[in-house]
Amino acid sequence: MSDRLLTPDLAWELACGGPFPDPVSLTGDDSFMAMALREGMLGVGLSSPNPPVGCVLVRDGRVLGRGVHTRAGDPHGEIMALRDAESRDEDVRGAAAYVTLEPCCYQGRTPPCTAALIRAGIQRVVVGVRDPNPRVDGGGMAILGAHGIDIQEGVLGRACAQFHAPFFKLIQTGLPWVMLKLALGADGSTGPEGQSTQVTTPEIQQLAHALRRASEAIVVGRWTVQVDDPLLTDRWHAPTAPHRQALRVVLDSHGRLPGDRKVWRPAAGQPVLRAVVEDLPPLREVEDLRLPPSANGCSLRHLLHELAARGVGRVLFEGGGQLARGLLELGLVDEFHRFTSETPALGKPVDLDVSSLPHLRAQVSFKDGRWDVLARR
């Protein structure tokens, strides 16, 4: 395992797709791009379906402005950095812009960032990774270059691609990024069947809330709600923007859960969806999402498409072994976070061999307050 303790800062970094390079340990372009990545992390869980692009403006080794995109329809990271510099009375003419993702070059809900950078007199743009959106895909850099701006592409490219992987998947497949979280005892089990079991320590459980904060939807199966009766709310320690919406989704195909479960209770900014396969008597303040049936209940692939249509870019699945197996067998999981206790949970071991799954982009293991990234493709 890594010798780095799982602190709240590190937990958030891992939830955002990290770990990422530390700006302090780097120099030159790499250091400033690492700063831009840190800015980008401030937009995770807020900007979907847009990417949380981070930007810093630099001249003569000094940061003039910082910015991040935090809400679809609001200014992008480059514009926010320009505004930040202006608020500091900094002149950005002749400065360099470090951007985690290629600047956009088309009129959407906001004007193109390329035009703003050109007007501001930016003379160098350092890009972490190219935007695969067909409306950009190198066009932003081409426009900037045509106006005499020096372009450098690929600085910390792997880290920036890793950070923006959820947006890339959404653009290329129409599906959100799927994170699977599973807590197992030292015996590989989630606990005795039908019994609510606290597998990991409260401290580690709290840090797992970083995964909820990084997601726009949290999904659990019926059995988890029946046994554990969770609120399923985002309880990460840091405050969040008022516009944040985090869907709580319960897979209850035939409406077998009673109406007194805690998850059905209203929570500000965290509405509840009940995924079903048939028309059922309504639950108060709960929206039913009708999905096609599958062998084990609701169609998980259809669920993901429905969530993407609602602007969800990142989904966290929590729960037991059956749901985890179903997701992995369907090839729907992009990132697997496994929390392992030092003590046995005294249940039937969950058989999950993910070592040879080609579609799994990342595996992160947490044990005894420490972490290890087992794979990051």
Side-chain angles (χ1 to χ4, degrees):
M1 301 295 288
S2 167
D3 59 359
R4 290 179 66 186
L5 289 174
L6 185 60
T7 63
D9 285 346
L10 178 58
W12 179 244
E13 191 174 341
L14 292 169
C16 292
F20 298 115
D22 183 355
V24 176
S25 66
L26 303 172
T27 59
D29 287 348
D30 288 351
S31 179
F32 293 123
M33 186 59 75
M35 292 182 191
L37 277 168
R38 289 297 189 278
E39 288 299 308
M41 284 193 290
L42 300 176
V44 172
L46 299 173
S47 66
S48 287
N50 289 355
V53 177
C55 175
V56 296
L57 305 175
V58 179
R59 185 175 54 233
D60 298 328
R62 189 167 67 89
V63 175
L64 308 178
R66 304 170 184 264
V68 58
H69 182 52
T70 57
R71 185 179 187 177
D74 282 358
H76 294 181
E78 298 93 321
I79 309 304
M80 297 302 292
L82 290 169
R83 290 183 179 180
D84 182 47
E86 183 180 9
S87 72
R88 301 166 183 263
D89 293 323
E90 296 283 6
D91 183 1
V92 300
R93 287 176 295 181
Y98 291 81
V99 192
T100 57
L101 185 68
E102 178 184 8
C104 66
C105 56
Y106 62 92
Q107 176 70 49
R109 282 191 276 184
T110 59
C113 292
T114 49
L117 294 171
I118 292 166
R119 284 196 307 270
I122 298 296
Q123 291 197 349
R124 184 169 182 249
V125 174
V126 183
V127 174
V129 65
R130 182 175 300 221
D131 187 346
N133 185 339
R135 301 180 74 180
V136 185
D137 198 13
M141 291 185 287
I143 289 173
L144 294 170
H147 283 79
I149 296 175
D150 180 35
I151 304 296
Q152 177 72 42
E153 179 186 357
V155 172
L156 293 191
R158 182 171 182 176
C160 290
Q162 184 176 304
F163 176 65
H164 287 301
F167 172 67
F168 294 170
K169 181 187 178 186
L170 190 63
I171 284 290
Q172 294 165 344
T173 70
L175 292 172
W177 187 259
V178 175
M179 295 188 291
L180 171 63
K181 175 231 166 185
L182 190 63
L184 299 171
D187 54 1
S189 81
T190 59
E193 186 175 353
Q195 178 179 318
S196 181
T197 305
Q198 183 172 293
V199 175
T200 54
T201 64
E203 292 79 13
I204 296 300
Q205 286 180 338
Q206 179 59 34
L207 292 175
H209 277 272
L211 295 171
R212 291 188 178 183
R213 175 57 60 85
S215 308
E216 292 91 31
I218 307 160
V219 184
V220 295
R222 177 182 64 85
W223 193 243
T224 294
V225 174
Q226 184 66 50
V227 174
D228 294 336
D229 197 17
L231 283 168
L232 214 63
T233 50
D234 168 11
R235 299 192 296 277
W236 186 236
H237 66 90
T240 187
H243 73 268
R244 170 168 161 78
Q245 290 282 305
L247 297 173
R248 294 176 289 159
V249 184
V250 178
L251 304 174
D252 189 17
S253 303
H254 302 288
R256 293 173 180 165
L257 286 170
D260 63 353
R261 299 291 85 183
K262 293 177 182 176
V263 71
W264 306 136
R265 298 175 185 174
Q270 300 176 74
V272 187
L273 297 179
R274 181 174 63 165
V276 300
V277 299
E278 58 187 300
D279 292 331
L280 298 169
L283 291 175
R284 186 178 178 183
E285 298 192 64
V286 175
E287 179 185 351
D288 278 353
L289 180 61
R290 181 76 178 265
L291 298 172
S294 69
N296 296 314
C298 301
S299 168
L300 296 175
R301 190 175 297 277
H302 280 82
L303 171 65
L304 294 178
H305 279 291
E306 289 286 348
L307 293 176
R310 293 169 182 254
V312 171
R314 296 174 186 245
V315 182
L316 173 65
F317 282 82
E318 297 185 358
Q322 182 176 343
L323 179 58
R325 275 193 300 269
L327 287 163
L328 289 165
E329 288 171 1
L330 290 170
L332 297 177
V333 179
D334 298 295
E335 193 160 330
F336 181 26
H337 293 256
R338 186 198 307 258
F339 291 75
T340 305
S341 171
E342 291 291 306
T343 58
L346 304 178
K348 183 179 179 181
V350 178
D351 182 19
L352 291 177
D353 181 10
V354 300
S355 59
S356 61
L357 294 178
H359 57 269
L360 192 62
R361 297 288 301 276
Q363 298 177 59
V364 185
S365 177
F366 305 86
K367 186 176 182 180
D368 190 28
R370 300 181 185 274
W371 63 275
D372 193 16
V373 176
L374 304 178
R376 180 74 73 183
R377 299 188 185 96

